[in-house]
Amino acid sequence: MSDLLTLTGVHTHIGRYHILQGVDFAVPEGQVTMLLGRNGAGKTTTLRTVMGLWPASRGEIVLAGERIEAGTTPDIARRGVGYVPESMAVFSDLTVRENLVLGARDRDLDDARLDWIFGFFPALKRFWLSRAGSLSGGQKQMLSIARAIVEPRKLLLIDEPTKGLAPAIVMALIECLKEIKRRGATILMVEQNFHAARELGDTVLVMDNGAIVHRGAMADLAADVALQERLLGLSLETHQ
Amino acid sequence: MMILSGDPPRSRLLAVLLIVIVAMLVLTPWLFPGAKAMNVAVKICIFAVLVASYDLLLGYTGTVSFAHTMFYGIGSYAVAIALYAMGPSWAAIGTGIVVGLPMAMLLALAIGLFSLRVAAIFFAMITLAVASAFQVLASQMSWLTGGEDGRTFRLPELLRPGTVLIDKSAFGFEINGRTLTYYLVFVVSALLILALLRVVNSPFGRVLQAIRENPFRAEALGYRTVFHLTYANCIAATVAACAGVLNALWLRYVGPDTSLAFSIMLDILLMVVIGGMGTIYGAIIGAGIFIIAQNYLQTLMGAASSAAADAGLPLLPGLLHPDRWLLWLGLLFIASVYFFPTGVVGRLRRPKAGAA
């Protein structure tokens, strides 16, 4: 299986802080890669650097065989990267529909695909013409994900989609992401909720201090409690 | 709803207010044929366009520009200089438009591409600098612009006050070239505002709103914010130049005070804030309230002052003296910002928006 996205020796500085200190990893095509690690390890910065929102100061980022580390954010988005930022990043002044139209960019909304999305997130259909700002937190998160998948994308970057959501909504979200995965999407996802990560992930990357400290199959990490404790400092009991 | 681009006023009171204002503007030549009332009505039309085009920038993209009067001035001067140099003909008006509008647009394009990449505050400073430079240029190049004295010119035969089109015997009032000019201004203003409404409700307008709310998210969806902001800047500048053309045609004069002064820029800012940013309709309300207050507050206060004096009340006659009208205008502004922080339109739309 080929790698859709590879990062080689990527460094990112934000102001005078050296956040990413030589990040190397690959995201295999058609798989879900989970990026785990404690707060401040550089997970969000990694996604933002791939997206061009914080430019890499050194290193190489290759998407589908082309270097993108010098590209602008809109350019990278137009190469087929969908980005779901942290914390319910919807356009609150616009309606649900308008948010999705923005996600589809220059194309018209595809009804079949919309029905598919409504299947996971019926609330979006119910509040189709409401202001996104008036939605609940979970509905905003659904809208944010729906906006990223309203058109097929090569690669989805998803930043902590389950953060702050009720368990029932987390379940719906996991089901949706599984379905997206079944359709052959490639996903790089940051996740603190180990349960969700284990459900979805094929491969796992663990970050600390701006570098990757562990890489392997999700199943191996899920089976090895000692390794989890060492890498993530968590015990599974509290997360099940 | 087609004509409003699917963006109706969404408040009964607002709709009534707009209908009243528009109806008054339509009927002004019949109801108040005096020169002052006509001037006020025309000013409302022209400023509604000017403020609406500024709203496209400030309200829909969150960009603060101080160069809006410059574009207005370019439109005014272009048509004025053409009429002055080529004589009163339709060809001259056409030349002024053909030269003026693209000039405003290109200047906006240049300013936008150079400075919309930088932070908003620098864009504001750059527009201020360019606008000041333009003002100096206009007053220094007196061979072309007439300097501080400006240029007085004549309109084509059809638009002159002396041209009687339908005399009094037909409807009981005279329709002359001045009436025709009035309706020309009114119709063009209405069309421009409807066009702006179309722009802000188009997919392009939605992208502008997205950029206003969060430029990074908009970029992450694949939108090049600089280009969108520059397009918006060009559209706003062109519409402002159109308003300038109308202004010159009505006044038959152009000078720094009537089309380039910084005080016009301040008036635009006040009107857009009073009316409500990011609504387009706010421009009509804001211009209506502000210009009526500007022109009639003094008269009203004079009447109130002498009434208070006749009634023998203490202090009030002095407070309401017509010379204090700017104080009251200021208080009116503070009150409107205090009670309607989102503008008149924002306030009127609020209950409905909350329920949605």
Side-chain angles (χ1 to χ4, degrees), chain A residues 78 90 92-93 98 102 105, chain B residues 206 213 217 221-223:
Chain A
R78 282 174 188 270
V90 299
S92 51
D93 289 341
E98 288 164 349
L102 279 179
R105 273 203 297 270
Chain B
R206 298 290 168 242
E213 192 170 331
R217 279 178 211 163
L221 286 177
Y223 295 102

Side-chain angles (χ1 to χ4, degrees), chain A residues 222-233:
Chain A
D224 190 342
V225 178
L227 187 63
Q228 283 169 30
E229 295 228 3
R230 185 167 66 76
L231 289 172
L232 304 169

Side-chain angles (χ1 to χ4, degrees), chain B residues 105-171:
Chain B
M105 202 183 74
L106 288 176
L107 196 55
L109 182 72
I111 295 176
L113 287 181
F114 275 113
S115 51
L116 278 168
R117 299 175 179 279
V118 298
I121 180 73
F122 295 113
F123 178 73
M125 300 319 283
I126 287 167
T127 56
L128 188 59
V130 173
S132 307
F134 192 84
Q135 207 172 343
V136 172
L137 204 65
S139 72
Q140 292 299 307
M141 291 169 70
S142 48
W143 57 272
L144 183 66
T145 62
E148 289 296 319
D149 296 333
R151 285 277 189 240
T152 309
F153 52 89
R154 295 197 310 151
L155 293 177
E157 188 79 40
L158 188 63
L159 298 178
R160 289 182 203 162
T163 312
V164 177
L165 299 165
I166 299 170
D167 77 17
K168 239 178 162 121
S169 56
F171 296 113

Side-chain angles (χ1 to χ4, degrees), chain B residues 5-295:
Chain B
S5 309
D7 182 20
R10 293 207 309 273
S11 149
R12 192 165 299 165
L13 192 56
L14 177 60
V16 170
L17 215 57
L18 287 168
I19 289 169
V20 168
I21 291 177
V22 172
M24 291 294 273
L25 289 175
V26 171
L27 296 176
T28 298
W30 274 259
L31 298 176
F32 318 103
K36 174 157 188 189
M38 292 275 275
N39 279 331
V40 169
V42 160
K43 214 175 161 195
I44 292 176
C45 292
I46 292 172
F47 270 83
V49 173
L50 195 55
V51 173
S53 65
Y54 193 68
D55 193 23
L56 176 66
L57 280 187
L58 185 64
Y60 283 86
T61 72
T63 313
V64 178
S65 160
F66 290 110
H68 217 58
T69 32
M70 176 178 77
F71 300 121
Y72 179 64
I74 287 174
S76 291
Y77 269 102
V79 82
I81 291 169
L83 278 167
Y84 182 81
M86 298 168 64
S89 66
W90 291 100
I93 294 181
T95 309
I97 292 172
V98 167
V99 173
L101 301 192
M103 194 172 143
M105 202 183 74
L106 288 176
L107 196 55
L109 182 72
I111 295 176
L113 287 181
F114 275 113
S115 51
L116 278 168
R117 299 175 179 279
V118 298
I121 180 73
F122 295 113
F123 178 73
M125 300 319 283
I126 287 167
T127 56
L128 188 59
V130 173
S132 307
F134 192 84
Q135 207 172 343
V136 172
L137 204 65
S139 72
Q140 292 299 307
M141 291 169 70
S142 48
W143 57 272
L144 183 66
T145 62
E148 289 296 319
D149 296 333
R151 285 277 189 240
T152 309
F153 52 89
R154 295 197 310 151
L155 293 177
E157 188 79 40
L158 188 63
L159 298 178
R160 289 182 203 162
T163 312
V164 177
L165 299 165
I166 299 170
D167 77 17
K168 239 178 162 121
S169 56
F171 296 113
F173 45 80
E174 185 182 283
I175 295 180
N176 58 30
R178 195 75 173 149
T179 327
L180 196 67
T181 314
Y182 177 83
Y183 282 112
L184 182 71
V185 171
F186 175 82
V187 169
V188 174
S189 301
L191 290 176
L192 286 171
I193 288 177
L194 290 174
L196 282 171
L197 213 50
R198 173 119 274 175
V199 169
V200 301
N201 287 295
S202 68
F204 171 71
R206 298 290 168 242
V207 178
L208 293 184
Q209 282 172 288
I211 292 172
R212 173 187 66 190
E213 192 170 331
N214 191 325
F216 299 110
R217 279 178 211 163
E219 292 225 313
L221 286 177
Y223 295 102
R224 296 177 177 87
T225 52
V226 176
F227 291 117
H228 281 86
L229 292 179
T230 306
Y231 287 144
N233 208 22
C234 289
I235 294 172
T238 310
V239 174
C242 291
V245 168
L246 297 177
N247 177 52
L249 288 181
W250 179 257
L251 293 178
R252 288 166 291 166
Y253 162 79
V254 66
D257 293 340
T258 55
S259 49
L260 283 174
F262 196 69
S263 61
I264 299 175
M265 193 64 239
L266 292 181
D267 288 350
I268 296 174
L269 274 168
L270 292 180
M271 287 182 224
V272 79
V273 170
I274 291 173
M277 285 190 283
T279 58
I280 297 294
Y281 291 112
I284 303 171
I285 306 277
I289 293 175
F290 189 85
I291 291 166
I292 287 173
Q294 209 178 29
N295 285 281

Side-chain angles (χ1 to χ4, degrees), chain A residues 12-90:
Chain A
T12 300
H13 290 77
I14 300 173
R16 53 199 183 82
Y17 297 102
H18 191 176
I19 310 286
L20 298 190
Q21 309 184 357
V23 172
D24 300 279
F25 68 81
V27 175
E29 194 160 357
Q31 290 199 15
V32 177
T33 304
M34 283 291 162
L35 189 54
L36 309 180
R38 59 176 182 82
N39 284 331
K43 306 184 297 292
T44 295
T45 306
T46 304
L47 295 193
R48 292 185 64 103
T49 300
V50 172
M51 211 56 218
L53 287 162
W54 282 327
S57 39
R58 208 146 29 99
E60 238 179 65
I61 304 175
V62 177
L63 174 73
E66 289 179 71
R67 306 255 311 242
I68 58 164
E69 72 270 9
T72 61
T73 303
D75 186 43
I76 293 167
R78 282 174 188 270
R79 284 167 188 259
V81 182
Y83 177 50
V84 182
E86 215 174 352
S87 65
M88 301 151 199
V90 299

